[in-house]
Amino acid sequence: MLGLKPIKLLPARERVASALRKAIIAQQIKEGETLTLETTAQQLGVSITPVREAFQILERDGLISLQQNRGATVLGINEKTLREHYQVRAVLEKAACELCCENGADLSSVKNCIDTAEEALERNDVTDYANQNQSFHYEIWKAAGNGKLEKMLGELWNGLSLGLNSTEEEYARRSQKEHQQIYAALEKRDAALAGKEMEKHIYRSMEDVLTRYQ
C-alpha cells in the first residue's frame, strides 16, 4: 500500500464543459454544429442537468449559442479567441500558485496527484494521466483558498491541450515534468518561481494546441 489519497475531479458540470471545450478547440466539433441536451448527455454518460449547466458556461465563454428548445449551436473558435482563453488561464493559474505559497497551504493533495500521475505514466495509461492532470490543477486551485478563483478556473478548464506535433504519451510526459517543477517551487514556498513555472506551463500548452490552427 502506497498510502495515496483518492483523486478528486471537477464537478460534473465543469467536466462536461471541459469535454465539450476540448472537442471544440481540437475541431472535433465544428462551427455550426448543433448540440442537444439529450444526445450530449447520452454520449458523455451523464444526466441532463450537468449538460444544461455546461451549456450555460460555454455560452458565457462565447463558444456556443443557446437556442430555445433547440439545443445549442457551436460558434467555433479561432486563434485570437484561443490565445485569449489561455492568457486568462495563465493569469489565474499563476495567481493560484502564488496564493498557495503566501498562505502556506497544505500541499499534500497536490503531491498525491504528482505521485499518482507518475504511476499512470509507468503503466502507459494516458487516459488515467488526463484525470491526474486535471486533479493536479484542481488541488492547487483549492489550496489557494480563494473560492471565486477556484470557480473561475473550473469553468475555464479544457483538459490536455494536444497539438499536432506530439503523441498523447509524449504530451503527458512533458506535462508531468512541468508539474514536478511547479510542485518543487510550491514546496519551497517560492511564490515568484511557482507562478512563473505555472505560467510557462500554460503558455506551452497554448503553443501546442495552436498547431491545429496554423
Side-chain angles (χ1 to χ4, degrees), residues 14 88 92 141 147-157:
E14 292 166 6
V88 171
L92 296 178
W141 309 340
K148 189 172 183 64
L149 181 65
E150 179 185 334
K151 184 175 186 296
M152 292 171 68
L153 280 165
E155 293 190 354
L156 286 171
W157 182 252

Side-chain angles (χ1 to χ4, degrees), residues 66-212:
L66 293 179
Q67 309 295 327
Q68 189 170 10
N69 300 322
R70 291 191 298 167
T73 301
V74 177
L75 300 178
I77 194 167
N78 55 39
E79 183 174 337
K80 180 178 183 296
T81 55
L82 192 64
R83 286 186 181 278
E84 289 174 350
H85 171 80
Y86 279 93
Q87 286 165 356
V88 171
R89 267 196 64 192
V91 169
L92 296 178
E93 296 243 30
K94 177 181 179 182
C97 284
E98 292 170 346
L99 284 171
C100 283
C101 295
E102 292 165 7
N103 298 339
D106 179 1
L107 300 175
S108 59
S109 293
V110 181
K111 180 63 164 60
N112 180 59
C113 294
I114 291 283
D115 294 340
T116 312
E118 193 66 29
E119 288 189 351
L121 290 179
E122 288 173 3
R123 300 192 308 271
N124 293 317
D125 189 340
V126 177
T127 299
D128 188 29
Y129 177 80
N131 287 334
Q132 320 309 329
N133 174 67
Q134 178 189 125
S135 191
F136 171 79
H137 287 268
Y138 184 36
E139 292 292 357
I140 289 175
W141 309 340
K142 289 178 62 182
N146 185 311
K148 189 172 183 64
L149 181 65
E150 179 185 334
K151 184 175 186 296
M152 292 171 68
L153 280 165
E155 293 190 354
L156 286 171
W157 182 252
N158 57 273
L160 297 181
S161 305
L162 290 173
L164 297 176
N165 298 327
S166 63
T167 65
E168 285 188 331
E169 182 180 349
E170 289 170 341
Y171 184 96
R173 293 188 182 281
R174 183 162 64 248
S175 175
Q176 174 71 352
K177 183 177 180 180
E178 291 169 357
H179 286 184
Q180 290 168 337
Q181 293 168 338
I182 293 165
Y183 178 76
L186 289 172
E187 192 175 34
K188 292 176 184 176
R189 307 297 178 179
D190 188 331
L193 181 59
K196 179 181 178 182
E197 292 293 345
M198 178 61 83
E199 186 178 53
K200 284 167 52 181
H201 177 57
I202 301 300
Y203 274 106
R204 195 272 306 157
S205 296
M206 181 187 76
E207 293 300 330
D208 276 0
V209 80
L210 278 172
T211 61
R212 295 181 178 275

Side-chain angles (χ1 to χ4, degrees), residues 1-42:
M1 297 291 291
L2 298 177
L4 299 179
K5 301 176 184 177
I7 290 295
K8 297 178 183 177
L9 298 176
L10 292 169
R13 66 180 179 276
E14 292 166 6
R15 295 201 306 272
V16 172
S18 168
L20 293 173
R21 182 183 285 109
K22 181 180 178 182
I24 292 170
I25 287 175
Q27 300 179 315
Q28 295 168 341
I29 301 177
K30 304 292 185 181
E31 181 176 350
E33 286 191 38
T34 298
L35 303 174
T36 66
L37 291 171
E38 293 79 6
T39 301
T40 303
Q42 183 179 31

